[in-house]
Amino acid sequence: MAKPRDEMLTIPEVIEEIGVPRATFYRWRQLRKGPKSIKLPNGSVRIRRSELERWIETQEEAA
């Protein structure tokens, strides 16, 4: 059975899922405190589903 592809999320999808304002998410990115992101050649930014889940887990551990 083939492994499913790791979904690539847009920033609006991520901020909706974690429930933070857009400005907060961009501040986290600037401070390198948010989930790792990928900048595509066309300038779009994506976050892998697996990376978002990993990042959320690290936030739970730190709480």
Side-chain angles (χ1 to χ4, degrees):
M1 186 172 163
K3 182 178 176 184
R5 274 183 24 163
D6 198 2
E7 183 181 12
M8 301 286 274
L9 303 169
T10 63
I11 289 177
E13 290 171 330
V14 171
I15 62 176
E16 181 179 334
E17 186 165 325
I18 62 177
V20 298
R22 187 177 192 93
T24 298
F25 183 81
Y26 277 104
R27 187 170 57 247
W28 289 348
R29 280 193 73 216
Q30 184 179 29
L31 297 171
R32 300 188 189 276
K33 293 189 176 204
K36 292 179 186 174
S37 57
I38 301 165
K39 191 165 190 174
L40 302 176
N42 67 0
S44 297
V45 175
R46 297 289 186 272
I47 294 95
R48 292 183 193 275
R49 164 73 59 198
S50 60
E51 173 55 24
L52 178 61
E53 290 172 1
R54 184 206 61 77
W55 177 80
I56 290 171
E57 286 177 11
T58 63
Q59 301 310 302
E60 290 174 350
E61 292 170 4

